[in-house]
Amino acid sequence: MLRLPGFEVATPRTIDEAATLLARPGARVVAGGTDLLPNLKHRLEQPSLLVSLAAVRELGEVVVDARAGVLRIGAGVTLTAVSEHPLVREHLPSLADAAGRVASPLIRNMGTLGGNVNLDTRCRYVNQTAFWRSAIGGCLKSEGNVCHVVPGGRNCVAAMSSDCVPVLISLEAAAVLRSTAGGRELPLAEYFQADGREHTVRRPDEIMAEIRVPLPTGPRRCAYSKWSVRKSIDFPLVSIALRFDLAADAVDAAITAVRVVVGVLGSRPREVTQLDAVIGQPLSDPKVAEAIAARVHAQCKPLENVPYEAPYRREMLAVHTRRAIARLVAEG
Amino acid sequence: MTAPVRLLQCTVNGRATAVAVAPHRTLLEVLRYQLDLIGSKQGCDKGDCGACTVQVDGVPKLACLTLAVAVEGREVTTVEGLGERAGGCHPLQDAFDRHDAAQCGFCTPGILMAADALLRRVQRPVTPDEVRAALAGNLCRCTGYTKIIDAVVDASRRLSQP
Ligand SMILES: Cc1cc2nc3c(=O)[nH]c(=O)nc-3n(C[C@H](O)[C@H](O)[C@H](O)COP(=O)(O)OP(=O)(O)OC[C@H]3O[C@@H](n4cnc5c(N)ncnc54)[C@H](O)[C@@H]3O)c2cc1C
Ligand code: SF4
């Protein structure tokens, strides 16, 4: 039995009310609770007030904003709804796929897109009961002052483990944040920072209201590749989002732009660079998959922060990159 | 800090229910320890195992990660309600019995609630793959799943017969 610590719960009906409540010291947002409640049961934090977003209807919408050319997905939309929504499936299939592969169907019925983007970083030394942690004296992210992943390290490198985040960054999505001071929009590529204790630039008084994902403006192929020990329930151990913009709507058309984003490394997702060599090449050319897999392997260095050895996961990053591209080519 | 209790009003297995709950109590704790509905099981208590699966407005969810206060005004169905709805033994329960789909039985209530949600959603005979997908959040450590899948497929066929 894992007990929750004591706290008060408020259930506002509008974003403005929620923002006012969240401005109180010790207040914390809870959406589906599937990340926050296990962390509270593990005593990783102790908020005095949970501001539930469950009754804030404004956060539950999925709409096309044709003028801005974006799909606006409310932060409170469940992962089941994201994965099944016709607009998401039609325009953003890799996002529907990633959302549909989070955890289990039961958790996707509860968990939200906003919660997935703001999922706390994870580490084998911290996502444990307080009793378990007491045996190793905690760590920088809990009650201790050392890091067990990087001995001597002064910075927490717990893993950004969201399935949707790499995909959203590959699709150039932006987040809309709201607080009593107003609102701001920022690209998700700039949302994360390399500190496992505070891995986003969101201020504690800000609510994520929606995610804006640009609609495709030309032919493209996108994929999300996840490897975990079991095919359900487990967090990703290898997580790669790929996006290829193409000169024509066929896999033997030339690549005009490419984005590759990798998760579950450190506390921020990594955008793979130096992919210019594949621009102008047909996606179906096997050399493209080889070149991209080689860059992924060279630039992404998994850490011993989640289960499975880092060298193995590094090899698997290349394998899963190749397989994902092969699947896209086979699908035509 | 312990916040004051409040009155939670919701429907549990078809009955209007009012119960005083502390805001940090989970739905599972309130069902088991305040309402004596011990059918829903407390397994891992952190979302991995699915033994606590109940339906909230017909949607299968994990009671161990649901705050009790979050079901205000909603309809909660537990495995006790599944049998009651069928007047004693639900066709799914009957199929589990005939197929030996339960051994220790600890995971069974959660699996029944996830399976029932699937059958009610699709309203037709289901395939083994559909059952696998719908039960992908429910762990069983005894049966090896085959008999569970057979039982759900069988129940879906019987339920679809005129
Ligand atoms: C067994 C298990 C397996 C899991 N497997 C996976 C997996 O495979 N992949 C994966 O990505 N995740 C996984 N998760 C984590 C989690 O279920 C998902 O990430 C889910 O999307 C979290 O959403 P939520 O609404 O439940 O978040 P909550 O728990 O409600 O919130 C998570 C965090 O985000 C903050 N937050 C939530 N909404 C907002 C908002 N609108 N504005 C600002 N802050 C906000 C909260 O304060 C909290 O810090 C798993 C969880 C469990 C228990
Ligand atoms: S990376 Fe280090 S500091 Fe961070 S949670 Fe893991 S052990 Fe703790």
Side-chain angles (χ1 to χ4, degrees), chain A residues 52-72:
Chain A
S52 166
L53 302 183
V56 183
R57 298 225 165 163
E58 303 161 74
L59 296 174
E61 292 178 357
V62 181
V63 283
V64 171
D65 184 339
R67 210 158 44 96
V70 297
L71 188 67
R72 295 167 43 185

Side-chain angles (χ1 to χ4, degrees), chain B residues 87-98:
Chain B
C89 180
H90 188 274
L92 268 167
Q93 292 169 312
D94 180 51
F96 269 58
D97 181 25
R98 283 182 289 103

Side-chain angles (χ1 to χ4, degrees), chain A residues 46-296:
Chain A
Q46 210 136 336
S48 53
L49 171 67
L50 296 192
V51 180
S52 166
L53 302 183
V56 183
R57 298 225 165 163
E58 303 161 74
L59 296 174
E61 292 178 357
V62 181
V63 283
V64 171
D65 184 339
R67 210 158 44 96
V70 297
L71 188 67
R72 295 167 43 185
I73 310 176
V77 177
T78 65
L79 294 167
T80 299
V82 172
S83 68
E84 291 176 354
H85 201 285
L87 288 172
V88 180
R89 295 180 72 94
E90 180 187 344
H91 298 295
L92 312 166
S94 59
L95 177 61
D97 186 32
R101 293 173 68 185
V102 172
S104 71
L106 306 165
I107 290 176
R108 295 193 293 272
N109 286 342
M110 307 168 70
T112 63
L113 186 61
N116 196 238
V117 171
N118 289 286
L119 170 70
D120 201 355
T121 54
R122 298 188 60 85
C123 176
R124 64 209 299 182
Y125 298 103
V126 82
N127 296 107
Q128 306 284 356
T129 59
F131 176 70
W132 189 102
R133 290 196 309 272
S134 70
I136 56 165
C139 69
L140 293 172
K141 192 171 160 70
S142 57
E143 42 291 289
N145 50 17
V146 295
C147 175
H148 303 288
V149 172
V150 182
R154 300 311 307 156
N155 185 29
C156 170
V157 292
M160 195 302 299
S161 303
S162 159
D163 280 304
C164 294
V165 161
V167 170
L168 287 168
I169 294 176
S170 77
L171 300 176
E172 290 170 76
V176 177
L177 300 174
R178 294 265 301 269
S179 70
T180 50
R184 58 173 174 147
E185 179 176 335
L186 81 170
L188 278 184
E190 294 164 19
Y191 189 64
F192 297 91
Q193 54 191 16
D195 177 353
R197 285 168 295 187
E198 217 181 291
H199 76 301
T200 75
V201 299
R202 186 178 68 84
R203 294 192 316 264
D205 68 333
E206 284 179 309
I207 293 170
M208 187 171 285
E210 67 181 34
I211 312 291
R212 297 188 173 171
V213 197
L215 294 164
T217 52
R220 73 183 187 193
R221 296 291 183 276
C222 299
Y224 175 61
S225 190
K226 166 177 181 170
W227 177 75
S228 53
V229 179
R230 298 173 293 192
K231 288 206 184 87
S232 183
I233 306 175
D234 289 346
F235 280 91
L237 299 176
V238 167
S239 165
I240 311 150
L242 299 142
R243 168 183 153 197
F244 299 95
D245 294 358
L246 302 174
D249 194 18
V251 288
D252 53 4
I255 298 167
T256 56
V258 53
R259 296 197 79 147
V260 179
V261 185
V262 178
V264 207
L265 300 169
S267 304
R268 52 177 302 188
R270 172 177 288 269
E271 170 128 34
V272 177
T273 57
Q274 297 165 22
L275 297 171
D276 296 347
V278 305
I279 304 293
Q281 307 299 314
L283 174 59
S284 55
D285 182 345
K287 289 207 275 298
V288 166
E290 281 310 320
I292 293 176
R295 296 257 64 85
V296 168

Side-chain angles (χ1 to χ4, degrees), chain A residues 2 4 6 8-9 41 109 232, chain B residues 1 6 24 45 60 64-65 136:
Chain A
L2 292 167
L4 284 164
E8 190 47 89
V9 177
K41 287 184 172 193
N109 286 342
S232 183
Chain B
M1 184 202 78
R6 56 173 89 171
H24 67 287
D45 225 2
C64 78
L65 296 184

